[in-house]
Amino acid sequence: MSTAHHAQPESDGTQIVPREHLDFGLDGDIPKYWMDGDAFKTRFFDAMSTLFPQGEKFFIMSVREFRDQITDPKLQQEVKDFTRQEAQHSMVHNHYNERLKAQGVDIDEISKRLEEDLFGEANRNLTPTQRLAITAALEHLTAMMCTCFFERKDLLSSCDPRIRAVYAWHAIEEVEHKAVAFDVLTKVAKANWFQRNIPMLLITFGFPITVFKIMDHMFVVDGFTRGQRLKMWLKGLWWWYKPGGLFLPTAGYYASYYKPGFHPWKLKEMPSYSTWLEVFEKTKDPIAAGNALHAAGI
Ligand SMILES: [Fe+2]
Ligand SMILES: [Fe+2]
């Protein structure tokens, strides 16, 4: 039992708090294009939602494979809380995805394919450490999106408050548990720099391609013609990759993962984290907390 790892930065006091029985009002009359009335922007976030239930199941399983080897009681507790948070995310996103299913999106097929990728192929071809490294990489990308997107008031201004509340809550909890998979990977599975970073490189290309495919399926379901879709993609790619767009400002956060000695808590938490927490503690209303988080953004 080495204690040398305790030199690594610990969480800055942020607690992992599983929150259950939240009501987002997802059965209400949420507009189909709930983000700016824009199909591309909406379907980007919708596509990510279709990945969460299977993805989060994979995260939980890949971390729990190392559960018996964890000797640090603090990390043991964090794994439990991480598991409870991810299980709640899956539940809420399953509910969210029912809306998409009613709109004609082939949720069952998306889920089946993902299941085969994550639990069939990944089980056959990857080691437990490689699966955990994929989880840690995806958790970094998730925390990156949460921190970088919610910093931007412009991005989530004209959203339906119910969906925004789902993402705000999800973002808060992703930030709270952002170091758990990483800590198990580095302290328990003892992955070295290559074992940690090669999966990140693969995910960096694989994840967007998966999301793009699902988005395009959604556009077809929505009845857009080939020509319309081409135009949407060109405009959308610019929205993502232009200077000051969705992704370029995240580059520094992203790249920090590759630094030797990186730890997730070396990166700051979401700036408006405490605002969300304060309002949620007071009201227990995730929609009020989501609105407050957004209002506090930059
Ligand atoms: Fe999650
Ligand atoms: Fe997570």
Side-chain angles (χ1 to χ4, degrees), residues 49-61:
S49 179
T50 67
L51 298 173
F52 288 134
Q54 291 289 354
E56 288 169 327
K57 196 162 87 185
F58 176 81
F59 297 171
I60 291 171
M61 283 180 66

Side-chain angles (χ1 to χ4, degrees), residues 39-207:
F40 191 90
K41 294 179 181 177
T42 300
R43 290 317 201 185
F44 170 54
F45 287 93
D46 284 350
M48 285 201 288
S49 179
T50 67
L51 298 173
F52 288 134
Q54 291 289 354
E56 288 169 327
K57 196 162 87 185
F58 176 81
F59 297 171
I60 291 171
M61 283 180 66
S62 67
V63 169
R64 282 167 73 100
E65 268 186 280
F66 288 89
R67 197 172 38 163
D68 295 342
Q69 298 171 46
I70 303 172
T71 50
D72 177 358
K74 184 168 173 279
L75 189 54
Q76 273 172 348
Q77 185 59 44
E78 285 174 352
V79 165
K80 277 187 199 151
D81 294 334
F82 156 82
T83 303
R84 283 178 63 195
Q85 283 191 334
E86 294 293 28
Q88 286 299 314
H89 302 169
S90 290
M91 268 173 59
V92 170
H93 281 279
N94 270 328
H95 192 178
Y96 179 128
N97 295 344
E98 278 168 27
R99 273 183 57 251
L100 304 179
K101 203 170 168 176
Q103 292 165 4
V105 176
D106 199 346
I107 294 293
D108 295 337
E109 178 63 22
I110 294 169
S111 174
K112 215 171 72 192
R113 277 199 203 171
L114 204 59
E115 192 172 20
E116 170 50 25
D117 286 349
L118 295 177
F119 297 99
E121 220 167 299
N123 260 339
R124 285 190 295 272
N125 302 329
L126 302 179
T127 65
T129 300
Q130 287 170 328
R131 290 196 288 269
L132 182 60
I134 288 178
T135 295
L138 284 166
E139 287 279 274
H140 179 69
L141 295 189
T142 312
M144 172 193 91
M145 288 193 270
C146 295
T147 302
C148 297
F149 292 175
F150 275 97
E151 265 180 39
R152 302 181 50 167
K153 238 181 154 124
D154 61 316
L155 190 66
L156 297 159
S157 277
S158 31
C159 284
D160 186 275
R162 293 160 285 194
I163 303 272
R164 186 169 62 203
V166 170
Y167 282 105
W169 158 73
H170 198 157
I172 288 290
E173 297 197 346
E174 287 303 323
V175 169
E176 287 178 342
H177 73 227
K178 68 178 176 177
V180 175
F182 186 90
D183 280 342
V184 177
L185 179 70
T186 52
K187 295 178 185 175
V188 182
K190 305 226 185 305
N192 63 31
W193 187 89
F194 291 98
Q195 287 171 313
R196 174 180 111 202
N197 287 301
I198 290 169
M200 175 57 108
L201 275 178
L202 298 175
I203 289 299
T204 301
F205 295 98
F207 180 68

